[in-house]
Amino acid sequence: MRYIPEEVKRKIEDLRELIEYHNYRYYVLADPVITDEEYDNLMKQLIELEKKYPELVTPDSPTQRIGDKVLEEFRTVQHSEPMLSLDNTYDEDQIKEFDDRVKKTVELETVEYVTELKIDGVSVSLRYEKGRFLLGLTRGDGTRGEDITENLKRVRSIPLRLRKPIDIEVRGEVYMPVQEFERLNNERLEQGEPPFANPRNATAGTIRQLDTSVTRARNLDSFIYYVLYPERYGLKTQWDALNLLKDLGFKVNPHSRICKDIHQVIEYWNEWIKKKDELPYWVDGIVVKVNQFELQRILGTTAKAPRWAIAFKFPSEKVETKLLDVTIQVGRTGVLTPVAELEPVQLAGTVVRRASLHNFDYIVEKDIRIGDWVYIEKAGGIIPQVLYVDKSRRTGQEKEIEIPESCPMCSGRVGKLNPEDVALRCLNPHCPAKLKRSLVTFAARNALDIKGLGEKIIEKLVDSGLVKDLADIFYLTPFELTQLGSGIGHKTIANLLSQIEQAKSAPLYKIITGLGIPMVGEKTARTLARSMGSIDKIMGATLDELTQIPGIGSEIARSIREYFDNEKTKELIKKLKQAGVKLQEEHQQNKQTLAGLTFAITGVLKNFSRNQIEDLIHSLGGKVSDSVTKKTDYLIVGENPGSKLSKANNLGIRIINELEFLELIKVEAKNHQQQRLL
Ligand code: IVH
């Protein structure tokens, strides 16, 4: 072990303790004493140190936790044996040539093969020590792979403990089942995100998520098919290896077969061309492996692939059709996705009318034009995509596809977030296509923290037309919310409205964060709030004034100016002000909506504790009395009311329930507003 200075060890331990403490504050007490950013910073320091001194990493380090944002990147690890890929064959002649080569090399008349399904996923290598899952790697460049151990722990079919306490390294395929792929892509389409082109991309995108909770949420599965150093376990054949894997508790594909010769291999291939669509996962061919390890050793490998195995791919289902037009979808993240409108054509069981063109770079790269005859294929059997153009059929009448200069939804400016990005995006923060996403940002914990405003409600609010911009949420009434229909009960509504009410007095930086100004995250929002003190000041600041603020460079300043110069922004800010949202830093009292009014409360309230409702009334300038008297203006009634109810009845005092109370706050707020404007 190399020398590591004591202070490094101490620093690591201190960091771990500190992070654990803040974890506790945050997750256990829900009472953080540092900002997310400060927390992330500590974690970053620890990750950095652990990366430098991997020998000091312990399983109990906070970096090992399940959770978001813990990993900064994947470390790479040397494979104990290179991870090769396979050569491909596509027809019977090619597979027979393979068989001939094999037979010639091993000098045998016939060779026995194991045939396996070729799973369309991502290959991984798993290391176990004393039967415990220690390390999981991607293929990487074949020599070094990325350590995705934590994500692989979220693939439930990968055992964390084997049924025998042995040291072993195995390889196999992690894949996304058909159903999960469809679910995920539907979800992405709904959210305006580009769907994954095929299950392999979806798996690769999931397994390499730095946030392990994403992997856990997407039900990946696995098939293991390869044992490293099989002689250590007395294995003579691939078939034995598959059996050992099964015995150890791995998931092994049940459709593998021993084939006595290449004819049986071809039979297997033909069988599965017919049956492949019945499987709950995608296979794009079969893998043919020489069964005897002894023979495998004689055959050896090339730099890229073994000579003892080969992929025998299924014919892909492709069809030619005419590209009639290209339309553009604007997703919730503002991504502009070109969609091919096709002359309807039958493909793999369905009529295809539209297909993905991925992005505008793809169109340029493949030189796709309107009027072209294009080949389409269903990626992973599902999502049709345009593969290439049949240029021989061009007439000269084809039209070039224009790359949009403005957003088709809002005419906003479009561009790439960075030069490597393939996606073209609408840059207008007020683009209606992005409203749902903006509302999520607005309601997020680091912004206005409106917990009741989750994705589902946002979906309904926007779809129903009740909310057309961020400020509209402050104008929602209980009546409107009950109209949203199923799934939103009174309790939810009352909670939501009270949270929205409280959000009006959120600190300025949280409101700025929530606006989603391009390039302005929480940190910059804090800086802005601290140095400018109010939205009005920020709106009035020149580029020069903005760049003078430490931490705000010219690009951010320009983005801020651009945001506030937008007419929509000006309207939005006006509406927020009118709704009573506090848009300045100094502690301003809540509007005294209930000034002069006295409330009494009886019975059990569904949505507030007594303290909560009393605090709310007080914060709005009202009074709460313990008993009902002539001076009481309102009695708020919950379940099982006490004697106060009959007393209020006798005195003719107005009796309201919780929802009516919330309605009252709104009405009073509007009255105040009008008075102020007059
Ligand atoms: S054997 C040296 N068996 O196909 C051993 N690979 O195109 C090579 N694959 O990288 C792998 N199912 O990711 C093998 N039953 C199977 C497979 C399989 C899918 C993948 C694997 C490999 C790729 C080659």
Side-chain angles (χ1 to χ4, degrees), residues 81-88 115-124 139 171-173 200 223 225-226 238 253 256 284-289 301 304-306 308-309 311 313:
E81 184 182 277
M83 259 179 112
L84 303 176
S85 70
L86 295 172
D87 289 332
N88 290 322
T115 47
E116 298 169 14
L117 294 176
K118 187 170 184 299
I119 316 295
D120 199 5
V122 172
S123 52
V124 296
R139 201 173 96 86
R171 288 176 184 168
E173 206 77 358
R200 175 172 303 144
F223 283 123
Y225 47 68
Y226 186 79
Q238 168 66 6
N253 190 279
S256 304
D284 54 356
I286 65 169
V287 180
V288 184
K289 301 176 181 175
T301 71
K304 256 191 62 219
W308 47 263
K313 302 269 263 201

mmCIF file of all heavy atoms in Angstrom, residues 81-88 115-124 139 171-173 200 223 225-226 238 253 256 284-289 301 304-306 308-309 311 313, ligand 1:
data_model
loop_
_atom_site.group_PDB
_atom_site.id
_atom_site.type_symbol
_atom_site.label_atom_id
_atom_site.label_comp_id
_atom_site.label_asym_id
_atom_site.label_seq_id
_atom_site.Cartn_x
_atom_site.Cartn_y
_atom_site.Cartn_z
ATOM 1 N N GLU A 81 -9.804 -9.589 -18.155
ATOM 2 C CA GLU A 81 -9.566 -10.197 -19.460
ATOM 3 C C GLU A 81 -10.350 -9.299 -20.420
ATOM 4 O O GLU A 81 -11.455 -8.894 -20.079
ATOM 5 C CB GLU A 81 -10.173 -11.606 -19.424
ATOM 6 C CG GLU A 81 -9.975 -12.453 -20.631
ATOM 7 C CD GLU A 81 -10.693 -13.808 -20.439
ATOM 8 O OE1 GLU A 81 -10.092 -14.697 -19.809
ATOM 9 O OE2 GLU A 81 -11.844 -13.945 -20.891
ATOM 10 N N PRO A 82 -9.786 -8.938 -21.577
ATOM 11 C CA PRO A 82 -10.497 -7.979 -22.435
ATOM 12 C C PRO A 82 -11.928 -8.430 -22.714
ATOM 13 O O PRO A 82 -12.194 -9.630 -22.817
ATOM 14 C CB PRO A 82 -9.673 -7.974 -23.724
ATOM 15 C CG PRO A 82 -8.342 -8.510 -23.358
ATOM 16 C CD PRO A 82 -8.521 -9.390 -22.169
ATOM 17 N N MET A 83 -12.819 -7.468 -22.822
ATOM 18 C CA MET A 83 -14.206 -7.786 -23.171
ATOM 19 C C MET A 83 -14.346 -7.625 -24.671
ATOM 20 O O MET A 83 -14.363 -6.518 -25.182
ATOM 21 C CB MET A 83 -15.166 -6.850 -22.448
ATOM 22 C CG MET A 83 -15.808 -7.484 -21.235
ATOM 23 S SD MET A 83 -16.893 -6.347 -20.405
ATOM 24 C CE MET A 83 -18.488 -7.094 -20.714
ATOM 25 N N LEU A 84 -14.421 -8.750 -25.349
ATOM 26 C CA LEU A 84 -14.450 -8.718 -26.814
ATOM 27 C C LEU A 84 -15.880 -8.559 -27.311
ATOM 28 O O LEU A 84 -16.833 -8.751 -26.568
ATOM 29 C CB LEU A 84 -13.855 -10.012 -27.359
ATOM 30 C CG LEU A 84 -12.429 -10.303 -26.902
ATOM 31 C CD1 LEU A 84 -11.976 -11.661 -27.417
ATOM 32 C CD2 LEU A 84 -11.475 -9.204 -27.366
ATOM 33 N N SER A 85 -15.996 -8.213 -28.593
ATOM 34 C CA SER A 85 -17.339 -8.269 -29.168
ATOM 35 C C SER A 85 -17.366 -9.437 -30.149
ATOM 36 O O SER A 85 -16.459 -10.271 -30.149
ATOM 37 C CB SER A 85 -17.693 -6.947 -29.831
ATOM 38 O OG SER A 85 -16.926 -6.779 -30.990
ATOM 39 N N LEU A 86 -18.379 -9.527 -30.965
ATOM 40 C CA LEU A 86 -18.515 -10.673 -31.867
ATOM 41 C C LEU A 86 -18.526 -10.206 -33.312
ATOM 42 O O LEU A 86 -19.002 -9.120 -33.621
ATOM 43 C CB LEU A 86 -19.831 -11.403 -31.581
ATOM 44 C CG LEU A 86 -19.989 -12.069 -30.221
ATOM 45 C CD1 LEU A 86 -21.424 -12.557 -30.042
ATOM 46 C CD2 LEU A 86 -19.008 -13.230 -30.073
ATOM 47 N N ASP A 87 -18.018 -11.044 -34.183
ATOM 48 C CA ASP A 87 -18.215 -10.794 -35.608
ATOM 49 C C ASP A 87 -19.639 -11.201 -35.960
ATOM 50 O O ASP A 87 -20.240 -12.022 -35.276
ATOM 51 C CB ASP A 87 -17.220 -11.619 -36.439
ATOM 52 C CG ASP A 87 -15.810 -11.076 -36.299
ATOM 53 O OD1 ASP A 87 -15.668 -9.862 -36.042
ATOM 54 O OD2 ASP A 87 -14.849 -11.870 -36.426
ATOM 55 N N ASN A 88 -20.136 -10.620 -37.059
ATOM 56 C CA ASN A 88 -21.518 -10.896 -37.445
ATOM 57 C C ASN A 88 -21.599 -11.736 -38.709
ATOM 58 O O ASN A 88 -20.770 -11.596 -39.614
ATOM 59 C CB ASN A 88 -22.248 -9.576 -37.736
ATOM 60 C CG ASN A 88 -22.475 -8.797 -36.457
ATOM 61 O OD1 ASN A 88 -22.761 -9.372 -35.413
ATOM 62 N ND2 ASN A 88 -22.339 -7.485 -36.536
ATOM 63 N N THR A 115 -25.964 -22.835 -29.056
ATOM 64 C CA THR A 115 -26.607 -21.640 -29.609
ATOM 65 C C THR A 115 -27.376 -20.947 -28.497
ATOM 66 O O THR A 115 -28.027 -21.594 -27.671
ATOM 67 C CB THR A 115 -27.585 -21.998 -30.742
ATOM 68 O OG1 THR A 115 -28.400 -23.086 -30.307
ATOM 69 C CG2 THR A 115 -26.841 -22.386 -32.006
ATOM 70 N N GLU A 116 -27.246 -19.623 -28.480
ATOM 71 C CA GLU A 116 -27.947 -18.820 -27.475
ATOM 72 C C GLU A 116 -28.640 -17.678 -28.186
ATOM 73 O O GLU A 116 -28.249 -17.306 -29.289
ATOM 74 C CB GLU A 116 -26.927 -18.237 -26.474
ATOM 75 C CG GLU A 116 -26.180 -19.303 -25.697
ATOM 76 C CD GLU A 116 -25.001 -18.719 -24.908
ATOM 77 O OE1 GLU A 116 -24.936 -17.479 -24.766
ATOM 78 O OE2 GLU A 116 -24.162 -19.509 -24.464
ATOM 79 N N LEU A 117 -29.638 -17.151 -27.553
ATOM 80 C CA LEU A 117 -30.276 -15.972 -28.133
ATOM 81 C C LEU A 117 -29.354 -14.774 -27.936
ATOM 82 O O LEU A 117 -28.679 -14.659 -26.908
ATOM 83 C CB LEU A 117 -31.627 -15.714 -27.465
ATOM 84 C CG LEU A 117 -32.664 -16.802 -27.726
ATOM 85 C CD1 LEU A 117 -33.938 -16.527 -26.944
ATOM 86 C CD2 LEU A 117 -32.957 -16.903 -29.225
ATOM 87 N N LYS A 118 -29.314 -13.906 -28.931
ATOM 88 C CA LYS A 118 -28.486 -12.704 -28.810
ATOM 89 C C LYS A 118 -29.372 -11.583 -28.287
ATOM 90 O O LYS A 118 -30.204 -11.031 -29.006
ATOM 91 C CB LYS A 118 -27.884 -12.342 -30.162
ATOM 92 C CG LYS A 118 -26.892 -11.205 -30.067
ATOM 93 C CD LYS A 118 -26.137 -11.052 -31.371
ATOM 94 C CE LYS A 118 -25.068 -9.990 -31.263
ATOM 95 N NZ LYS A 118 -25.598 -8.677 -30.958
ATOM 96 N N ILE A 119 -29.202 -11.323 -27.017
ATOM 97 C CA ILE A 119 -30.054 -10.358 -26.325
ATOM 98 C C ILE A 119 -29.640 -8.940 -26.713
ATOM 99 O O ILE A 119 -28.456 -8.600 -26.711
ATOM 100 C CB ILE A 119 -29.901 -10.501 -24.787
ATOM 101 C CG1 ILE A 119 -29.918 -11.987 -24.364
ATOM 102 C CG2 ILE A 119 -30.952 -9.695 -24.049
ATOM 103 C CD1 ILE A 119 -31.195 -12.701 -24.601
ATOM 104 N N ASP A 120 -30.634 -8.116 -27.022
ATOM 105 C CA ASP A 120 -30.335 -6.747 -27.429
ATOM 106 C C ASP A 120 -30.246 -5.845 -26.195
ATOM 107 O O ASP A 120 -31.199 -5.187 -25.803
ATOM 108 C CB ASP A 120 -31.439 -6.257 -28.373
ATOM 109 C CG ASP A 120 -30.994 -5.060 -29.181
ATOM 110 O OD1 ASP A 120 -29.810 -4.682 -29.072
ATOM 111 O OD2 ASP A 120 -31.828 -4.497 -29.907
ATOM 112 N N GLY A 121 -29.080 -5.872 -25.603
ATOM 113 C CA GLY A 121 -28.887 -5.077 -24.389
ATOM 114 C C GLY A 121 -27.472 -4.553 -24.331
ATOM 115 O O GLY A 121 -26.887 -4.218 -25.361
ATOM 116 N N VAL A 122 -26.928 -4.524 -23.127
ATOM 117 C CA VAL A 122 -25.600 -3.982 -22.907
ATOM 118 C C VAL A 122 -24.804 -5.012 -22.122
ATOM 119 O O VAL A 122 -25.292 -5.544 -21.126
ATOM 120 C CB VAL A 122 -25.705 -2.674 -22.080
ATOM 121 C CG1 VAL A 122 -24.342 -2.185 -21.653
ATOM 122 C CG2 VAL A 122 -26.453 -1.604 -22.862
ATOM 123 N N SER A 123 -23.586 -5.320 -22.587
ATOM 124 C CA SER A 123 -22.862 -6.354 -21.863
ATOM 125 C C SER A 123 -22.172 -5.785 -20.621
ATOM 126 O O SER A 123 -21.706 -4.654 -20.609
ATOM 127 C CB SER A 123 -21.862 -7.059 -22.774
ATOM 128 O OG SER A 123 -21.046 -6.121 -23.411
ATOM 129 N N VAL A 124 -22.147 -6.602 -19.597
ATOM 130 C CA VAL A 124 -21.541 -6.193 -18.334
ATOM 131 C C VAL A 124 -20.678 -7.322 -17.796
ATOM 132 O O VAL A 124 -20.857 -8.482 -18.151
ATOM 133 C CB VAL A 124 -22.605 -5.849 -17.260
ATOM 134 C CG1 VAL A 124 -23.426 -4.648 -17.680
ATOM 135 C CG2 VAL A 124 -23.505 -7.041 -16.962
ATOM 136 N N ARG A 139 -18.600 -2.550 -20.728
ATOM 137 C CA ARG A 139 -17.551 -2.983 -21.626
ATOM 138 C C ARG A 139 -16.486 -1.902 -21.787
ATOM 139 O O ARG A 139 -15.298 -2.179 -21.879
ATOM 140 C CB ARG A 139 -18.166 -3.326 -22.988
ATOM 141 C CG ARG A 139 -17.315 -4.238 -23.815
ATOM 142 C CD ARG A 139 -18.065 -4.661 -25.059
ATOM 143 N NE ARG A 139 -17.695 -3.803 -26.164
ATOM 144 C CZ ARG A 139 -16.636 -4.025 -26.934
ATOM 145 N NH1 ARG A 139 -15.890 -5.074 -26.721
ATOM 146 N NH2 ARG A 139 -16.333 -3.202 -27.901
ATOM 147 N N ARG A 171 -19.878 -12.759 -17.136
ATOM 148 C CA ARG A 171 -20.344 -11.711 -18.032
ATOM 149 C C ARG A 171 -21.711 -12.048 -18.587
ATOM 150 O O ARG A 171 -22.094 -13.219 -18.679
ATOM 151 C CB ARG A 171 -19.349 -11.497 -19.173
ATOM 152 C CG ARG A 171 -18.106 -10.819 -18.636
ATOM 153 C CD ARG A 171 -17.032 -10.642 -19.646
ATOM 154 N NE ARG A 171 -15.865 -10.062 -18.975
ATOM 155 C CZ ARG A 171 -14.658 -9.970 -19.492
ATOM 156 N NH1 ARG A 171 -14.431 -10.432 -20.718
ATOM 157 N NH2 ARG A 171 -13.684 -9.419 -18.818
ATOM 158 N N GLY A 172 -22.427 -11.036 -18.951
ATOM 159 C CA GLY A 172 -23.751 -11.266 -19.496
ATOM 160 C C GLY A 172 -24.338 -9.967 -20.006
ATOM 161 O O GLY A 172 -23.627 -8.984 -20.197
ATOM 162 N N GLU A 173 -25.614 -10.023 -20.219
ATOM 163 C CA GLU A 173 -26.301 -8.907 -20.852
ATOM 164 C C GLU A 173 -27.323 -8.324 -19.885
ATOM 165 O O GLU A 173 -28.103 -9.059 -19.290
ATOM 166 C CB GLU A 173 -27.013 -9.452 -22.099
ATOM 167 C CG GLU A 173 -27.241 -8.457 -23.175
ATOM 168 C CD GLU A 173 -25.979 -8.148 -23.990
ATOM 169 O OE1 GLU A 173 -24.897 -8.697 -23.690
ATOM 170 O OE2 GLU A 173 -26.100 -7.336 -24.912
ATOM 171 N N ARG A 200 -31.463 -1.070 -26.699
ATOM 172 C CA ARG A 200 -30.062 -1.027 -26.273
ATOM 173 C C ARG A 200 -29.697 0.373 -25.776
ATOM 174 O O ARG A 200 -29.085 0.522 -24.728
ATOM 175 C CB ARG A 200 -29.129 -1.448 -27.408
ATOM 176 C CG ARG A 200 -27.661 -1.296 -26.998
ATOM 177 C CD ARG A 200 -26.710 -1.868 -27.997
ATOM 178 N NE ARG A 200 -27.007 -3.272 -28.221
ATOM 179 C CZ ARG A 200 -26.891 -3.876 -29.389
ATOM 180 N NH1 ARG A 200 -26.482 -3.193 -30.436
ATOM 181 N NH2 ARG A 200 -27.166 -5.145 -29.514
ATOM 182 N N PHE A 223 -29.336 -11.443 -18.293
ATOM 183 C CA PHE A 223 -29.034 -12.849 -18.582
ATOM 184 C C PHE A 223 -27.521 -12.997 -18.542
ATOM 185 O O PHE A 223 -26.808 -12.214 -19.185
ATOM 186 C CB PHE A 223 -29.535 -13.269 -19.972
ATOM 187 C CG PHE A 223 -31.016 -13.504 -20.044
ATOM 188 C CD1 PHE A 223 -31.793 -12.802 -20.957
ATOM 189 C CD2 PHE A 223 -31.638 -14.429 -19.213
ATOM 190 C CE1 PHE A 223 -33.168 -13.021 -21.037
ATOM 191 C CE2 PHE A 223 -33.009 -14.657 -19.287
ATOM 192 C CZ PHE A 223 -33.772 -13.948 -20.200
ATOM 193 N N TYR A 225 -24.107 -15.269 -19.306
ATOM 194 C CA TYR A 225 -23.796 -16.372 -20.233
ATOM 195 C C TYR A 225 -22.312 -16.715 -20.332
ATOM 196 O O TYR A 225 -21.911 -17.487 -21.188
ATOM 197 C CB TYR A 225 -24.329 -16.054 -21.627
ATOM 198 C CG TYR A 225 -23.997 -14.652 -22.124
ATOM 199 C CD1 TYR A 225 -22.694 -14.301 -22.421
ATOM 200 C CD2 TYR A 225 -24.998 -13.697 -22.280
ATOM 201 C CE1 TYR A 225 -22.382 -13.033 -22.861
ATOM 202 C CE2 TYR A 225 -24.688 -12.419 -22.728
ATOM 203 C CZ TYR A 225 -23.389 -12.089 -23.017
ATOM 204 O OH TYR A 225 -23.076 -10.836 -23.442
ATOM 205 N N TYR A 226 -21.468 -16.140 -19.490
ATOM 206 C CA TYR A 226 -20.030 -16.323 -19.700
ATOM 207 C C TYR A 226 -19.283 -16.397 -18.374
ATOM 208 O O TYR A 226 -19.516 -15.579 -17.485
ATOM 209 C CB TYR A 226 -19.525 -15.146 -20.533
ATOM 210 C CG TYR A 226 -18.084 -15.226 -20.979
ATOM 211 C CD1 TYR A 226 -17.716 -16.023 -22.057
ATOM 212 C CD2 TYR A 226 -17.091 -14.487 -20.330
ATOM 213 C CE1 TYR A 226 -16.395 -16.079 -22.483
ATOM 214 C CE2 TYR A 226 -15.769 -14.527 -20.752
ATOM 215 C CZ TYR A 226 -15.432 -15.328 -21.831
ATOM 216 O OH TYR A 226 -14.129 -15.379 -22.258
ATOM 217 N N GLN A 238 -19.089 -24.875 -22.665
ATOM 218 C CA GLN A 238 -19.962 -23.716 -22.473
ATOM 219 C C GLN A 238 -21.269 -24.167 -21.823
ATOM 220 O O GLN A 238 -21.833 -23.472 -20.990
ATOM 221 C CB GLN A 238 -20.216 -23.033 -23.830
ATOM 222 C CG GLN A 238 -21.324 -21.998 -23.846
ATOM 223 C CD GLN A 238 -21.012 -20.765 -23.001
ATOM 224 O OE1 GLN A 238 -19.910 -20.607 -22.460
ATOM 225 N NE2 GLN A 238 -21.993 -19.888 -22.863
ATOM 226 N N ASN A 253 -30.491 -17.560 -19.647
ATOM 227 C CA ASN A 253 -31.567 -17.682 -20.628
ATOM 228 C C ASN A 253 -31.947 -19.148 -20.856
ATOM 229 O O ASN A 253 -31.077 -20.000 -21.071
ATOM 230 C CB ASN A 253 -31.139 -17.039 -21.948
ATOM 231 C CG ASN A 253 -32.308 -16.937 -22.900
ATOM 232 O OD1 ASN A 253 -32.666 -17.904 -23.557
ATOM 233 N ND2 ASN A 253 -32.912 -15.766 -22.942
ATOM 234 N N SER A 256 -31.243 -21.653 -24.611
ATOM 235 C CA SER A 256 -29.986 -22.101 -25.215
ATOM 236 C C SER A 256 -30.103 -23.582 -25.585
ATOM 237 O O SER A 256 -30.927 -24.305 -25.022
ATOM 238 C CB SER A 256 -28.837 -21.901 -24.236
ATOM 239 O OG SER A 256 -28.806 -20.548 -23.843
ATOM 240 N N ASP A 284 -31.729 -9.824 -31.368
ATOM 241 C CA ASP A 284 -31.498 -9.422 -32.756
ATOM 242 C C ASP A 284 -30.763 -10.495 -33.540
ATOM 243 O O ASP A 284 -30.272 -10.256 -34.630
ATOM 244 C CB ASP A 284 -30.777 -8.067 -32.831
ATOM 245 C CG ASP A 284 -29.489 -8.045 -32.025
ATOM 246 O OD1 ASP A 284 -29.191 -9.048 -31.337
ATOM 247 O OD2 ASP A 284 -28.773 -7.028 -32.071
ATOM 248 N N GLY A 285 -30.680 -11.691 -32.964
ATOM 249 C CA GLY A 285 -30.024 -12.784 -33.668
ATOM 250 C C GLY A 285 -29.721 -13.886 -32.675
ATOM 251 O O GLY A 285 -30.262 -13.902 -31.571
ATOM 252 N N ILE A 286 -28.856 -14.795 -33.083
ATOM 253 C CA ILE A 286 -28.402 -15.814 -32.138
ATOM 254 C C ILE A 286 -26.880 -15.702 -32.019
ATOM 255 O O ILE A 286 -26.227 -15.083 -32.872
ATOM 256 C CB ILE A 286 -28.810 -17.246 -32.575
ATOM 257 C CG1 ILE A 286 -28.100 -17.638 -33.883
ATOM 258 C CG2 ILE A 286 -30.319 -17.347 -32.726
ATOM 259 C CD1 ILE A 286 -28.245 -19.129 -34.218
ATOM 260 N N VAL A 287 -26.328 -16.277 -30.951
ATOM 261 C CA VAL A 287 -24.879 -16.353 -30.820
ATOM 262 C C VAL A 287 -24.507 -17.827 -30.884
ATOM 263 O O VAL A 287 -25.117 -18.653 -30.205
ATOM 264 C CB VAL A 287 -24.387 -15.727 -29.500
ATOM 265 C CG1 VAL A 287 -22.864 -15.818 -29.409
ATOM 266 C CG2 VAL A 287 -24.831 -14.274 -29.398
ATOM 267 N N VAL A 288 -23.552 -18.119 -31.733
ATOM 268 C CA VAL A 288 -23.128 -19.502 -31.940
ATOM 269 C C VAL A 288 -21.762 -19.660 -31.283
ATOM 270 O O VAL A 288 -20.832 -18.921 -31.614
ATOM 271 C CB VAL A 288 -23.043 -19.799 -33.452
ATOM 272 C CG1 VAL A 288 -22.686 -21.264 -33.687
ATOM 273 C CG2 VAL A 288 -24.351 -19.427 -34.140
ATOM 274 N N LYS A 289 -21.649 -20.582 -30.337
ATOM 275 C CA LYS A 289 -20.393 -20.740 -29.599
ATOM 276 C C LYS A 289 -19.912 -22.191 -29.694
ATOM 277 O O LYS A 289 -20.711 -23.116 -29.488
ATOM 278 C CB LYS A 289 -20.580 -20.380 -28.117
ATOM 279 C CG LYS A 289 -21.056 -18.953 -27.904
ATOM 280 C CD LYS A 289 -21.333 -18.642 -26.436
ATOM 281 C CE LYS A 289 -21.821 -17.200 -26.322
ATOM 282 N NZ LYS A 289 -22.240 -16.834 -24.956
ATOM 283 N N THR A 301 -8.481 -15.972 -30.173
ATOM 284 C CA THR A 301 -9.243 -14.761 -30.496
ATOM 285 C C THR A 301 -8.428 -13.861 -31.419
ATOM 286 O O THR A 301 -7.204 -13.991 -31.507
ATOM 287 C CB THR A 301 -9.557 -13.936 -29.222
ATOM 288 O OG1 THR A 301 -8.340 -13.338 -28.765
ATOM 289 C CG2 THR A 301 -10.149 -14.802 -28.125
ATOM 290 N N LYS A 304 -10.225 -8.263 -31.744
ATOM 291 C CA LYS A 304 -11.573 -7.724 -31.560
ATOM 292 C C LYS A 304 -12.573 -8.753 -31.060
ATOM 293 O O LYS A 304 -13.461 -8.436 -30.281
ATOM 294 C CB LYS A 304 -12.093 -7.181 -32.909
ATOM 295 C CG LYS A 304 -12.075 -5.676 -33.013
ATOM 296 C CD LYS A 304 -12.863 -5.244 -34.256
ATOM 297 C CE LYS A 304 -14.316 -5.648 -34.167
ATOM 298 N NZ LYS A 304 -14.864 -6.109 -35.439
ATOM 299 N N ALA A 305 -12.436 -9.988 -31.555
ATOM 300 C CA ALA A 305 -13.500 -10.963 -31.301
ATOM 301 C C ALA A 305 -12.929 -12.372 -31.209
ATOM 302 O O ALA A 305 -11.885 -12.671 -31.791
ATOM 303 C CB ALA A 305 -14.529 -10.888 -32.430
ATOM 304 N N PRO A 306 -13.639 -13.242 -30.487
ATOM 305 C CA PRO A 306 -13.181 -14.635 -30.438
ATOM 306 C C PRO A 306 -13.369 -15.310 -31.802
ATOM 307 O O PRO A 306 -14.269 -14.932 -32.554
ATOM 308 C CB PRO A 306 -14.096 -15.274 -29.394
ATOM 309 C CG PRO A 306 -15.299 -14.409 -29.312
ATOM 310 C CD PRO A 306 -14.861 -13.024 -29.694
ATOM 311 N N TRP A 308 -14.007 -18.469 -31.817
ATOM 312 C CA TRP A 308 -14.843 -19.628 -31.477
ATOM 313 C C TRP A 308 -16.340 -19.284 -31.333
ATOM 314 O O TRP A 308 -17.141 -20.136 -30.962
ATOM 315 C CB TRP A 308 -14.341 -20.291 -30.192
ATOM 316 C CG TRP A 308 -14.047 -19.313 -29.055
ATOM 317 C CD1 TRP A 308 -12.834 -18.807 -28.722
ATOM 318 C CD2 TRP A 308 -14.991 -18.727 -28.143
ATOM 319 N NE1 TRP A 308 -12.937 -17.944 -27.659
ATOM 320 C CE2 TRP A 308 -14.259 -17.879 -27.282
ATOM 321 C CE3 TRP A 308 -16.365 -18.828 -27.968
ATOM 322 C CZ2 TRP A 308 -14.850 -17.129 -26.262
ATOM 323 C CZ3 TRP A 308 -16.962 -18.090 -26.945
ATOM 324 C CH2 TRP A 308 -16.202 -17.255 -26.116
ATOM 325 N N ALA A 309 -16.648 -18.019 -31.594
ATOM 326 C CA ALA A 309 -18.064 -17.632 -31.496
ATOM 327 C C ALA A 309 -18.390 -16.622 -32.578
ATOM 328 O O ALA A 309 -17.501 -15.912 -33.070
ATOM 329 C CB ALA A 309 -18.355 -17.035 -30.124
ATOM 330 N N ALA A 311 -21.875 -13.999 -34.086
ATOM 331 C CA ALA A 311 -23.292 -13.634 -34.048
ATOM 332 C C ALA A 311 -23.913 -13.991 -35.392
ATOM 333 O O ALA A 311 -23.294 -13.817 -36.437
ATOM 334 C CB ALA A 311 -23.437 -12.139 -33.773
ATOM 335 N N LYS A 313 -27.119 -12.925 -37.194
ATOM 336 C CA LYS A 313 -28.198 -11.946 -36.996
ATOM 337 C C LYS A 313 -29.467 -12.324 -37.739
ATOM 338 O O LYS A 313 -29.413 -12.923 -38.817
ATOM 339 C CB LYS A 313 -27.728 -10.576 -37.501
ATOM 340 C CG LYS A 313 -26.451 -10.081 -36.812
ATOM 341 C CD LYS A 313 -26.770 -9.273 -35.602
ATOM 342 C CE LYS A 313 -26.719 -7.843 -35.994
ATOM 343 N NZ LYS A 313 -26.542 -6.865 -35.020
HETATM 344 S S1 IVH B 1 -20.965 -13.859 -26.083
HETATM 345 C C1 IVH B 1 -16.464 -13.240 -26.075
HETATM 346 N N1 IVH B 1 -23.538 -14.362 -25.824
HETATM 347 O O1 IVH B 1 -23.675 -9.305 -28.307
HETATM 348 C C2 IVH B 1 -17.916 -13.380 -25.758
HETATM 349 N N2 IVH B 1 -22.867 -12.166 -26.387
HETATM 350 O O2 IVH B 1 -22.435 -8.282 -30.767
HETATM 351 C C3 IVH B 1 -18.736 -12.411 -26.470
HETATM 352 N N3 IVH B 1 -24.709 -10.583 -26.610
HETATM 353 O O3 IVH B 1 -20.816 -7.882 -26.848
HETATM 354 C C4 IVH B 1 -20.113 -12.334 -26.038
HETATM 355 N N4 IVH B 1 -26.327 -12.005 -26.155
HETATM 356 O O4 IVH B 1 -23.068 -7.727 -25.599
HETATM 357 C C5 IVH B 1 -22.600 -13.430 -26.103
HETATM 358 N N5 IVH B 1 -25.765 -14.934 -25.558
HETATM 359 C C6 IVH B 1 -24.834 -14.021 -25.820
HETATM 360 C C7 IVH B 1 -25.164 -12.679 -26.098
HETATM 361 C C8 IVH B 1 -24.143 -11.787 -26.379
HETATM 362 C C9 IVH B 1 -26.036 -10.748 -26.456
HETATM 363 C C10 IVH B 1 -24.078 -9.318 -26.977
HETATM 364 C C11 IVH B 1 -22.848 -8.984 -26.178
HETATM 365 C C12 IVH B 1 -21.754 -8.851 -27.188
HETATM 366 C C13 IVH B 1 -22.526 -8.490 -28.405
HETATM 367 C C14 IVH B 1 -21.736 -8.767 -29.673
#
